[in-house]
Amino acid sequence: MTNNIIVKEDLQTIYESSIDWSKFYNTTTLITGASGFLPAYIVESLLYLNYINKNNNVKVIALVRNIENAKKDSKIILMIKI
């Protein structure tokens, strides 16, 4: 979860919107271009569901074009399985 107060407020506002978030419970979602501004917000919004309730079991696979640039971005947590 981010420490940025503005992003936290954004995530709460997004969560309180009319989106039926239950459709994402117990699912895995693939997001491409995850280091971009909008896709990164989508990733954070989906993962916020787990912050609200850990039993939501929302998983995100976030694809980036350049893994070295993604590693520099503190918002992106990389888990690489080989």
Side-chain angles (χ1 to χ4, degrees):
M1 182 67 184
T2 182
N3 290 326
N4 186 310
I5 293 171
I6 294 171
V7 174
K8 284 182 179 180
E9 290 175 358
D10 287 350
L11 292 172
Q12 186 62 36
T13 300
I14 292 167
Y15 178 71
E16 292 171 353
S17 70
S18 62
I19 296 170
D20 181 7
W21 294 109
S22 66
K23 292 182 179 185
F24 294 98
Y25 298 168
N26 300 304
T27 64
T28 301
T29 303
L30 172 68
I31 306 292
T32 61
S35 59
F37 182 76
L38 291 177
Y41 251 75
I42 294 169
V43 170
E44 288 199 61
S45 296
L46 290 172
L47 294 177
Y48 185 73
L49 298 174
N50 292 331
Y51 175 77
I52 296 297
N53 182 346
K54 296 197 184 304
N55 293 324
N56 287 339
N57 192 32
V58 177
K59 296 180 183 120
V60 176
I61 299 171
L63 297 182
V64 296
R65 184 181 305 169
N66 186 317
I67 196 163
E68 294 306 316
N69 287 342
K71 287 179 183 178
K72 296 175 189 174
D73 188 343
S74 62
K75 294 187 310 265
I76 299 175
I77 300 169
L78 298 171
M79 293 176 55
I80 304 170
K81 292 185 180 180
I82 299 177

